[in-house]
Each structure stands twice: as C-alpha cells, then as structure tokens.
Amino acid sequence: MLKFIPLLLLAALTNLCSRNETAWAYGGADRLWDLQEINGVPFPANTTLSFLDAETIAIQGPCNRITASNTVPYPWFKLTFISSTKMSCPDLRYEKSLTNALKRTTIVEILDDVMILSNTENLNMVFIAAD
C-alpha cells in the first residue's frame, strides 16, 4: 500500500499542473462578448470576442475574423495573433484601432456579464456578454 503513495502524489500534482488558469476558466468560456467601448468612448462597429477553448480566442471585427492565443494565467492577458482574414470594408479604421488596442492589453477582469481588457497605461476595453 505504501508503495502506491508516490504514484498518487504524482497523479495529484500532474492534475494540478494541467488545470487551465487562463480567462477561459474564469468566466470567459461559452460566451460571446460584445465590445462596448474603448477608453470610455462607445465603439461604433460591431465587434465580438469568444474563447474557443482554453487558449484560443476568436475576434470578429468590423471587417475580419481574427484568431489569437492567450496562454498566460488569469488575470494576465497577452494575445498572440495566429491568423486573420484580409477583407476590406468601410469600418477598417475601427478594426485597426481594435487590433492596436488588443495588442496592448495585459490584464483581463471578468465579473458576471462584464469583461474588461486593460493595461497599466490607462487602456480599457469593456465587453458585455451577449447571452
């Protein structure tokens, strides 16, 4: 019986290390997030963000769909852009401001139906759950 204790400890530690600690596990999953404002200014173009899995995020901007990864533990947030469609549309200038803001985010806060992406330099992006 005693010879199995190290195996049980190893299994428990492996389970703890493999748990997801990203925003997906802290209220971000299974929701569609609508961008409401950037730095207190209403965002004029339809934009949504969703967590596809523990590390993959999809952003539907005004013109294009962007796929990115976030692998840092909550409350930290760092997007690594993977791919994007390359469509042009009249709201392309809003999409450029969106992607510039997303690249600068470092913190995520999720409380019920509100998600805020921010950084320490006064960037605030407010999202509301659509569901």
Side-chain angles (χ1 to χ4, degrees):
M1 179 68 175
L2 289 176
K3 65 181 177 181
F4 292 111
I5 290 177
L7 289 174
L8 292 173
L9 287 173
L10 181 61
L13 286 174
T14 302
N15 187 36
L16 284 175
C17 293
S18 66
R19 278 195 348 213
N20 178 271
E21 294 292 329
T22 66
W24 181 82
Y26 286 85
D30 301 324
R31 303 184 103 171
L32 185 63
W33 297 94
D34 287 327
L35 179 59
Q36 301 297 302
E37 61 184 56
I38 297 178
N39 293 337
V41 177
F43 195 71
N46 249 358
T47 299
T48 60
L49 182 148
S50 59
F51 294 84
L52 301 179
D53 59 40
E55 296 180 355
T56 310
I57 296 170
I59 301 127
Q60 180 60 58
C63 305
N64 294 288
R65 182 170 174 86
I66 302 163
T67 305
S69 67
N70 175 52
T71 59
V72 295
Y74 186 85
W76 308 116
F77 194 81
K78 179 171 176 31
L79 286 185
T80 302
F81 289 91
I82 298 171
S83 66
S84 174
T85 57
K86 304 290 186 207
M87 306 275 295
S88 183
C89 76
D91 290 332
L92 193 56
R93 69 180 185 273
Y94 299 124
E95 186 159 310
K96 287 181 181 180
S97 70
L98 166 73
T99 55
N100 287 337
L102 286 169
K103 288 176 184 177
R104 297 181 6 244
T105 58
T106 57
I107 302 166
V108 58
E109 300 171 73
I110 300 172
L111 182 60
D112 297 324
D113 292 342
V114 178
M115 178 174 67
I116 300 172
L117 299 179
S118 62
N119 66 18
T120 58
E121 299 165 359
N122 298 321
L123 171 67
N124 281 296
M125 302 176 74
V126 177
F127 293 80
I128 303 293
D131 47 357

